[in-house]
Amino acid sequence: MIFAANFKTNHTRNSTKRYLDTLSEKIAAKKSEEKVYIFPPATALGHYQGDFTLGVQNAYPAQNGAFTGEIGLEQLEEFAIRTILIGHSERRELLGESQEKVAEKFAFFKAEGFEIIYCIGEPLEVRQAGDEAVSAYLLAQFEGIDTAYEKLIVAYEPIWAIGTGRSATTEEIASTHQTLRKTVSSPLLYGGSANPDNIQEIAAIENVDGVLVGSASLDAEKFASMIFGAKC
Ligand code: 13P
């Protein structure tokens, strides 16, 4: 089972350091098959020791260059970062990342051999239109993406469940992951209001190989309790 923490625009360099110290202590007894990923803001990247993989929430598909406000491969290499989130709905929606741009990033970081957590997810109106509409929407988010890439992890994050406290239902997650399983053989994560109270139920769903957690990951003890609470 994979437990990935997406801090988004939360935590500082100092608080990330404290977080990772606490987390490392708390997860010392976790099973080795439970993999932990931490995606702090770019300002908090560093050389941390511990039983977790440090990744980046975003980067520009270039070694370096004139891309104001962005970080590229050169900045990631300084911290030995080899894992990246691509396609998060917040970047698609708030920052206007098109499928074309997302696919370009994917191709670049794939060529560099990065492990990629590729995020997909539908808005509420698509979910309300029914399962077929959801499938079509999600499959369109694989346009230009090599779904056979061996270092791919897919995260299904319904937009209406992100940060709302309203997770998708067990049935919604199960049927969506079953559909995705026909297209990808990579691990499938669920994201959207996953928390210590629902982790056991989510972890038990077929074709759920892990979770991508926002709000509930911000507190190290809470996140650690999810890792132990999943009972998988
Ligand atoms: P929440 O856990 O806050 O709903 O966020 C999920 C998410 O977007 C993780 O990438």
Side-chain angles (χ1 to χ4, degrees), residues 119-137:
C119 307
I120 56 171
E122 82 287 356
L124 186 58
E125 63 271 21
V126 172
R127 173 54 68 179
Q128 285 168 339
D131 284 352
E132 267 178 46
V134 172
S135 292
Y137 191 93

Side-chain angles (χ1 to χ4, degrees), residues 11 16 20 45 57 60 64 69 76 92 100 117 130 185 187 191-192 229:
H11 277 301
T16 297
L20 293 174
L45 295 179
Q57 296 174 21
Y60 199 79
N64 51 30
L76 301 185
R92 292 181 193 260
E100 201 181 7
I117 298 192
S185 57

Side-chain angles (χ1 to χ4, degrees), residues 6 8 88 90 157 161-164 191-194 212-216:
N6 178 7
K8 308 187 179 183
H88 195 284
E90 284 152 15
E157 300 202 302
I162 295 178
T164 57
S193 299
L212 179 53
V213 189
S215 331

